[in-house]
């Protein structure tokens, strides 16, 4: 009788073990806040970023290693509103990180709050200098100073050493111009002048006259296409023809049409026509889902969500301090140690300042379309 019970007990235990082995462990569930200026002056770009973030979450969930739940809010472009939303998300112990700080103005304010609350923040849009970078602030956007440096290095490689700079006085234009000037001078080049303009400028007549006197080998326009269209038209009207270098604000087909025939080189973090398989797959899926071409903001937000998921996947169950409480400092450390992640914006390795240390893609305009420089 004892031997019979032992046999049945052994059989039941074996059945339980077989069932357990046949079941897959439930994926770790991670809540990620998304704070974007969906109703603001950059609503179109923010909407594109939201689509990229949503697609990334769906892709991650389809892989079944981590289950992501996005908690989305609109900050309206207001730093104060962004802070309030960030604090609200941080008060939820289940929220692991926040993808946000879309603009430089918001990132500057929010990075300090992220450090104080020890909640990782990954920006898919901020490109300017940000305090507390590398503590709890990371970004998948390409720092504007890095773009300027890449454009200067290209110019030097082409033996173009005498440059004039036309720059927006905002954070973006200033950082692009400073990165360019420093790299050009370090390589033996010369910055002939730096012409500063304000957002909304519609008259570049005096700037163009100065450029004609200076006779630079190239002109860096560090600003946005809104003012750039006016500058380019007035430069053409004056008969001035000189190679142009521009940052990633021009890295889209609409802006590229402005540059046709100008011998322009564009710095970019993302190129939708890239031949790389992971980029082609991303673009194809994005078009299928949304019926439109992804831009850099969509790609940067996609990568932002994916690097958070990667950090959570590496930690597994240890990402939790308690069943409903995320261990955010541990997740922050996992983010900081990201190395060689194959993102759609390039291979991402975060440096000590939370910047994605990767190569800048340089594009030129051919027949009104952007193509990679050989």
């Amino acid at each position: 009788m004892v031997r019979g019970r032992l046999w049945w007990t052994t059989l039941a235990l074996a059945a339980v073990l077989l069932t357990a082995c046949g079941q897959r462990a439930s994926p770790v569930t991670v809540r990620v806040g998304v704070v974007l200026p969906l109703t603001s002056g950059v609503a179109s770009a923010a909407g594109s970023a939201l689509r990229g973030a949503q697609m990334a979450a769906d892709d991650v969930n389809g892989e079944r290693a981590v289950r992501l739940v996005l908690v989305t809010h609109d900050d309206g472009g207001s730093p104060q509103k962004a802070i309030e939303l960030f604090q609200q998300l941080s008060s939820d112990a289940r929220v692991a990180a926040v993808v946000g700080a879309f603009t430089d103005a918001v990132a500057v304010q929010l990075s300090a709050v992220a450090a104080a609350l020890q909640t990782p923040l990954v920006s898919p849009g901020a490109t300017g200098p940000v305090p507390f970078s590398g503590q709890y602030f990371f970004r998948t956007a390409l720092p504007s100073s890095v773009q300027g440096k890449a454009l200067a290095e290209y110019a030097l490689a082409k033996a173009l050493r005498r440059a004039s700079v036309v720059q927006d006085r905002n954070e973006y234009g200033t950082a692009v111009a400073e990165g360019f000037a420093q790299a050009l001078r370090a390589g033996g080049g010369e910055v002939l002048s730096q012409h500063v303009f304000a957002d909304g400028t519609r008259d570049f007549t005096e700037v163009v006259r100065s450029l004609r006197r200076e006779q630079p080998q190239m002109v860096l326009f560090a600003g946005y296409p809104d003012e750039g269209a006016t500058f380019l038209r007035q430069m053409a009207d004056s008969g001035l023809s000189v190679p142009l270098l521009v940052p990633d604000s021009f890295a889209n087909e609409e802006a590229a049409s402005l540059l046709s025939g100008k011998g322009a080189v564009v710095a970019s973090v993302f190129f939708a026509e890239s031949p790389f398989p992971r980029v082609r797959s991303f673009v194809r899926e994005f078009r299928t889902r949304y019926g439109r071409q992804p831009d850099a903001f969509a790609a940067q937000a996609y990568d932002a969500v994916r690097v958070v998921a990667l950090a959570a996947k590496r930690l597994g169950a240890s990402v939790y301090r308690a069943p409903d409480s995320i261990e955010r400092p541990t997740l922050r450390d996992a983010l900081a140690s990201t190395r060689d992640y194959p993102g759609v914006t390039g291979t991402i390795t975060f440096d000590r300042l939370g910047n994605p240390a990767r190569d800048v893609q340089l594009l030129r305009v051919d027949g009104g379309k952007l193509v990679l420089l050989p």
Side-chain angles (χ1 to χ4, degrees):
M1 188 72 174
V2 173
R3 291 174 64 184
R5 286 178 183 169
L6 180 60
W7 184 83
W8 279 108
T9 300
T10 302
L11 183 62
L13 180 59
V16 169
L17 290 173
L18 284 170
T19 300
C21 290
Q23 292 176 342
R24 192 171 183 175
S26 298
V28 172
T29 297
V30 175
R31 293 168 70 87
V32 177
V34 178
V35 180
L36 296 168
L38 299 171
T39 54
S40 68
V42 291
S44 177
S48 187
L50 179 59
R51 286 185 283 272
Q54 290 171 331
M55 194 172 96
D58 289 344
D59 286 352
V60 168
N61 291 340
E63 295 163 5
R64 304 183 66 82
V66 176
R67 179 175 176 268
L68 290 186
V69 177
L70 299 187
V71 185
T72 303
H73 293 286
D74 174 18
D75 65 26
S78 164
Q80 185 55 45
K81 181 65 174 177
I83 290 172
E84 292 171 3
L85 291 170
F86 188 86
Q87 290 171 332
Q88 176 184 324
L89 288 164
S90 294
S91 68
D92 184 346
R94 299 169 298 171
V95 172
V98 174
V99 171
F102 192 67
T103 64
D104 290 349
V106 172
V108 167
Q109 297 289 324
L110 216 51
S111 63
V113 181
L117 297 179
Q118 296 188 322
T119 300
L121 173 64
V122 186
S123 173
T127 61
V130 176
F132 303 98
S133 293
Q135 294 188 25
Y136 277 79
F137 176 86
F138 303 86
R139 65 175 124 201
T140 52
L142 189 65
S144 40
S145 59
V146 176
Q147 299 179 43
K149 179 183 178 184
L151 290 169
E153 290 173 345
Y154 166 81
L156 291 168
K158 295 296 183 180
L160 301 173
R161 299 183 177 278
R162 300 173 66 253
S164 293
V165 173
V166 181
Q167 68 177 82
D168 196 318
R169 68 176 51 167
N170 62 20
E171 294 94 337
Y172 178 70
T174 300
V176 171
E178 288 180 352
F180 175 83
Q182 290 174 7
L184 190 71
R185 289 169 179 145
E190 179 184 4
V191 176
L192 302 174
S193 62
Q194 289 185 255
H195 302 279
V196 180
F197 65 89
D199 290 343
T201 295
R202 290 294 176 264
D203 186 0
F204 289 90
T205 303
E206 290 302 318
V207 173
V208 172
R209 286 175 182 164
S210 296
L211 295 178
R212 291 182 64 84
R213 290 193 300 269
E214 293 160 12
Q215 296 187 326
Q217 291 178 295
M218 61 191 152
V219 171
L220 171 75
F221 183 85
Y224 295 103
D226 287 350
E227 292 80 16
T230 302
F231 170 71
L232 292 171
R233 184 177 64 253
Q234 293 178 1
M235 194 171 74
D237 290 344
S238 75
L240 181 61
S241 178
V242 61
L244 282 168
L245 307 174
V246 294
D248 65 350
S249 59
F250 287 83
N252 57 75
E253 295 300 332
E254 183 179 352
S257 64
L258 301 172
L259 303 172
S260 185
K262 303 292 193 301
V265 173
V266 184
S268 178
V269 65
F270 173 73
F271 182 50
E273 302 300 325
S274 169
F276 292 113
R278 64 176 178 267
V279 178
R280 295 176 69 87
S281 176
F282 167 75
V283 171
R284 184 167 54 250
E285 181 184 352
F286 194 95
R287 283 174 174 164
T288 299
R289 287 173 62 112
Y290 302 116
R292 65 180 70 193
Q293 183 94 326
D295 59 14
F297 297 113
Q300 289 163 182
Y302 183 89
D303 279 349
V305 170
R306 299 260 355 188
V307 294
V308 171
L310 175 66
K313 178 182 176 182
R314 286 166 54 197
L315 293 173
S318 65
V319 74
Y320 291 105
R321 181 170 60 248
D324 290 317
S325 181
I326 295 290
E327 185 64 43
R328 291 173 184 151
T330 303
L331 183 69
R332 177 265 164 210
D333 292 345
L335 268 172
S337 64
T338 298
R339 296 289 181 274
D340 299 325
Y341 170 72
V344 296
T345 59
T347 302
I348 296 175
T349 294
F350 286 126
D351 66 16
R352 64 182 183 83
L353 296 178
N355 295 322
R358 62 182 171 216
D359 292 335
V360 179
Q361 298 185 71
L362 295 180
L363 314 176
R364 63 182 176 86
V365 181
D366 185 4
K369 296 180 70 71
L370 290 168
V371 298
L372 280 170
L373 275 174

